[in-house]
Amino acid sequence: EAGVAQSPRYKIIEKRQSVAFWCNPISGHATLYWYQQILGQGPKLLIQFQNNGVVDDSQLPKDRFSAERLKGVDSTLKIQPAKLEDSAVYLCASSEGQQYYNEQFFGPGTRLTVL
Amino acid sequence: AQSVTQLGSHVSVSEGALVLLRCNYSSSVPPYLFWYVQYPNQGLQLLLKYTSAATLVKGINDFEAEFKKSETSFPLTKPSAHMSDAAEYFCAVSPPGFQKLVFGTGTRLLVSP
């Protein structure tokens, strides 16, 4: 079974530029998550989708971050404009559902460096 | 609000020694608890989870954790460390019924020969 795919794996941009990350979840997984992992910290949930609807985006900085999950499969996360403090690893995860027994499977992440 | 505290950002053990990683949680109701492992340049992988069944939970690679309600802790242990166990370990908490994970800051396990 293929895992969660993410691209690119690494990205370096200058502040005020824009960037987009892509995630392809495990086939059939209805729930998709984007996490931000700053160096030395645990992952922090940015946004959660159930199919193509947003379940939780309470910690998403909506003035600069946006995410979409068209057709309930792939998802993109965009930052525009980027700030220095956005340097982090962005992790995508997916699960069959939202219940506690539905394990979240994580992709390898995209490491963003903002100069 | 739920939160997790992992004591010790780094833990060093010798190969074959006991592994003990600490995790304390704060929650108004007994939560669900998880341990994840992250190898370099990889995503997180679930080691084990506590979901209000048995208090002693066994996971992959001989890891286990015990839910200690009176201490509000969920320590992760392994009887004998292996070099391949070197990684970062994250404790996470979730409200009952749902997987809405709040992660701790992580503990890096170093294993020496």
mmCIF file of all heavy atoms in Angstrom, chain B residues 2 19 21 31-32 42 52 66 76 96 102:
data_model
loop_
_atom_site.group_PDB
_atom_site.id
_atom_site.type_symbol
_atom_site.label_atom_id
_atom_site.label_comp_id
_atom_site.label_asym_id
_atom_site.label_seq_id
_atom_site.Cartn_x
_atom_site.Cartn_y
_atom_site.Cartn_z
ATOM 1 N N GLN B 2 -6.215 20.691 26.431
ATOM 2 C CA GLN B 2 -5.317 19.564 26.661
ATOM 3 C C GLN B 2 -3.897 19.938 26.272
ATOM 4 O O GLN B 2 -3.672 20.669 25.307
ATOM 5 C CB GLN B 2 -5.790 18.364 25.839
ATOM 6 C CG GLN B 2 -7.184 17.909 26.239
ATOM 7 C CD GLN B 2 -7.685 16.780 25.392
ATOM 8 O OE1 GLN B 2 -7.353 16.688 24.238
ATOM 9 N NE2 GLN B 2 -8.483 15.900 25.971
ATOM 10 N N VAL B 19 15.019 1.588 28.209
ATOM 11 C CA VAL B 19 14.609 2.883 27.690
ATOM 12 C C VAL B 19 13.396 3.361 28.478
ATOM 13 O O VAL B 19 12.425 2.609 28.653
ATOM 14 C CB VAL B 19 14.244 2.808 26.192
ATOM 15 C CG1 VAL B 19 13.704 4.153 25.702
ATOM 16 C CG2 VAL B 19 15.449 2.381 25.363
ATOM 17 N N LEU B 21 11.061 6.933 28.542
ATOM 18 C CA LEU B 21 10.768 8.289 28.076
ATOM 19 C C LEU B 21 9.500 8.758 28.778
ATOM 20 O O LEU B 21 8.496 8.064 28.780
ATOM 21 C CB LEU B 21 10.575 8.307 26.553
ATOM 22 C CG LEU B 21 11.734 7.757 25.722
ATOM 23 C CD1 LEU B 21 11.429 7.883 24.229
ATOM 24 C CD2 LEU B 21 13.045 8.426 26.051
ATOM 25 N N PRO B 31 -8.011 11.367 28.643
ATOM 26 C CA PRO B 31 -7.911 11.477 27.182
ATOM 27 C C PRO B 31 -7.440 10.186 26.548
ATOM 28 O O PRO B 31 -7.186 9.210 27.236
ATOM 29 C CB PRO B 31 -6.836 12.549 27.027
ATOM 30 C CG PRO B 31 -5.905 12.264 28.182
ATOM 31 C CD PRO B 31 -6.779 11.757 29.305
ATOM 32 N N TYR B 32 -7.327 10.221 25.242
ATOM 33 C CA TYR B 32 -6.595 9.177 24.542
ATOM 34 C C TYR B 32 -5.148 9.650 24.407
ATOM 35 O O TYR B 32 -4.892 10.841 24.228
ATOM 36 C CB TYR B 32 -7.206 8.921 23.169
ATOM 37 C CG TYR B 32 -8.594 8.315 23.230
ATOM 38 C CD1 TYR B 32 -9.447 8.379 22.151
ATOM 39 C CD2 TYR B 32 -9.050 7.674 24.380
ATOM 40 C CE1 TYR B 32 -10.714 7.818 22.195
ATOM 41 C CE2 TYR B 32 -10.313 7.114 24.440
ATOM 42 C CZ TYR B 32 -11.142 7.191 23.347
ATOM 43 O OH TYR B 32 -12.394 6.642 23.404
ATOM 44 N N GLN B 42 11.985 11.491 7.949
ATOM 45 C CA GLN B 42 10.781 10.702 7.713
ATOM 46 C C GLN B 42 9.606 11.289 8.484
ATOM 47 O O GLN B 42 9.781 12.117 9.372
ATOM 48 C CB GLN B 42 10.994 9.244 8.138
ATOM 49 C CG GLN B 42 12.044 8.504 7.334
ATOM 50 C CD GLN B 42 12.108 7.031 7.703
ATOM 51 O OE1 GLN B 42 11.117 6.439 8.131
ATOM 52 N NE2 GLN B 42 13.274 6.435 7.521
ATOM 53 N N SER B 52 -8.498 3.847 26.597
ATOM 54 C CA SER B 52 -9.334 3.519 27.758
ATOM 55 C C SER B 52 -9.649 2.042 27.910
ATOM 56 O O SER B 52 -10.552 1.684 28.653
ATOM 57 C CB SER B 52 -10.645 4.319 27.736
ATOM 58 O OG SER B 52 -11.534 3.806 26.766
ATOM 59 N N GLU B 66 2.386 2.610 29.947
ATOM 60 C CA GLU B 66 1.367 2.382 30.963
ATOM 61 C C GLU B 66 0.653 3.675 31.297
ATOM 62 O O GLU B 66 1.277 4.691 31.626
ATOM 63 C CB GLU B 66 1.987 1.798 32.232
ATOM 64 C CG GLU B 66 0.947 1.452 33.290
ATOM 65 C CD GLU B 66 1.548 0.805 34.518
ATOM 66 O OE1 GLU B 66 2.793 0.663 34.572
ATOM 67 O OE2 GLU B 66 0.778 0.449 35.429
ATOM 68 N N LEU B 76 6.824 5.803 28.274
ATOM 69 C CA LEU B 76 7.146 4.815 27.248
ATOM 70 C C LEU B 76 8.391 4.050 27.677
ATOM 71 O O LEU B 76 9.378 4.676 28.081
ATOM 72 C CB LEU B 76 7.406 5.516 25.913
ATOM 73 C CG LEU B 76 7.772 4.626 24.721
ATOM 74 C CD1 LEU B 76 6.550 3.819 24.268
ATOM 75 C CD2 LEU B 76 8.307 5.455 23.565
ATOM 76 N N PRO B 96 -11.343 12.326 24.105
ATOM 77 C CA PRO B 96 -11.957 11.006 23.913
ATOM 78 C C PRO B 96 -12.836 10.948 22.673
ATOM 79 O O PRO B 96 -13.609 11.866 22.411
ATOM 80 C CB PRO B 96 -12.782 10.814 25.188
ATOM 81 C CG PRO B 96 -12.120 11.678 26.191
ATOM 82 C CD PRO B 96 -11.614 12.864 25.431
ATOM 83 N N VAL B 102 -2.662 16.659 19.996
ATOM 84 C CA VAL B 102 -1.819 17.743 20.501
ATOM 85 C C VAL B 102 -0.511 17.083 20.927
ATOM 86 O O VAL B 102 -0.509 16.226 21.816
ATOM 87 C CB VAL B 102 -2.473 18.468 21.685
ATOM 88 C CG1 VAL B 102 -1.500 19.504 22.251
ATOM 89 C CG2 VAL B 102 -3.773 19.125 21.252
#
